[in-house]
Amino acid sequence: MLNENIKKIRQSKGLSQEELAIKLNVVRQTVSKWERGLSVPDSEMLVSISDILDTPISTLLGETITENSQKDLKVISEKLEVITLELARQKAMRHNILHWIFLVLSMVIVAIFIIILIAGSPYLNWDYSDPETAVAGTILHGFEFVFVRIAPFAFCCFVCGAVMTLKRRK
């Protein structure tokens, strides 16, 4: 196992036996012996090999490299798939919530408009000599004045927003 792992990792890093030998301060024949299974590096040399190949010692001593990397890739791809599905679900939920907010705001604007239309601005007939009545009437008149001018634009924006979120969902 060790000999196969050293060879596979060395080759995957693009190093020749000579280059690895130079980095380890040994001769090329020593690396060749390790890879052919004729000898084994001592513990200090194993630590050096691990550092140079940027691989844990347990990987050098453990299972073959190809099996681990395939299992790791499968686990990572499964996790990415779960994350992607969760993000897609959250995005769809946000669009759904936004759609309903636009619809509710549109209904609220229409309802307030109908109430103002039916009420017929009753504050115009109030006696404004009383200061509290004058303040209330002024506030109502200001709200109605601003609402009647802004509401049509807001209503159009909310309807367009609801239609656009509905189209995105499809």
Side-chain angles (χ1 to χ4, degrees):
M1 289 274 187
L2 176 63
N3 59 337
E4 294 169 4
N5 289 343
I6 291 174
K7 184 175 183 177
K8 285 180 185 176
I9 296 171
R10 175 186 59 79
Q11 289 173 341
S12 72
K13 301 287 182 181
L15 293 173
S16 66
Q17 286 183 345
E18 183 71 31
E19 292 169 330
L20 181 58
I22 290 171
K23 290 183 179 195
L24 294 170
N25 294 321
V26 296
V27 294
R28 185 197 59 78
Q29 289 80 1
T30 305
V31 174
S32 176
K33 285 181 182 178
W34 294 338
E35 290 181 357
R36 288 185 290 151
L38 299 175
S39 68
V40 228
D42 63 4
S43 59
E44 290 179 21
M45 189 57 68
L46 203 54
V47 171
S48 298
I49 294 170
S50 170
D51 289 340
I52 290 172
L53 295 179
D54 195 28
T55 305
I57 295 174
S58 60
T59 302
L60 290 172
L61 297 173
E63 298 177 10
T64 57
I65 304 308
T66 55
E67 291 175 0
N68 283 342
S69 63
Q70 288 174 354
K71 288 178 185 176
D72 290 345
L73 287 176
K74 185 176 180 181
V75 169
I76 290 171
S77 66
E78 288 172 355
K79 287 180 181 179
L80 284 174
E81 184 179 356
V82 169
I83 290 170
T84 303
L85 290 173
E86 181 63 25
L87 288 174
R89 188 187 65 75
Q90 287 177 357
K91 184 178 179 182
M93 184 189 296
R94 273 187 255 126
H95 282 282
N96 196 20
I97 290 170
L98 196 58
H99 173 75
W100 283 106
I101 287 173
F102 285 144
L103 284 177
V104 167
L105 287 175
S106 298
M107 287 187 246
V108 167
I109 288 174
V110 169
I112 292 173
F113 226 104
I114 290 172
I115 291 170
I116 289 175
L117 187 64
I118 290 173
S121 303
Y123 58 86
L124 294 176
N125 298 328
W126 290 354
D127 179 20
Y128 285 97
S129 59
D130 180 25
E132 292 176 3
T133 305
V135 169
T138 305
I139 291 173
L140 284 172
H141 180 69
F143 172 75
E144 185 178 322
F145 180 81
V146 170
F147 183 81
V148 168
R149 281 161 178 69
I150 293 176
F153 298 111
F155 179 75
C156 290
C157 290
F158 291 138
V159 169
C160 290
V163 169
M164 287 172 42
T165 57
L166 188 61
K167 284 183 181 178
R168 276 192 209 161
R169 235 186 335 174
K170 292 178 182 179

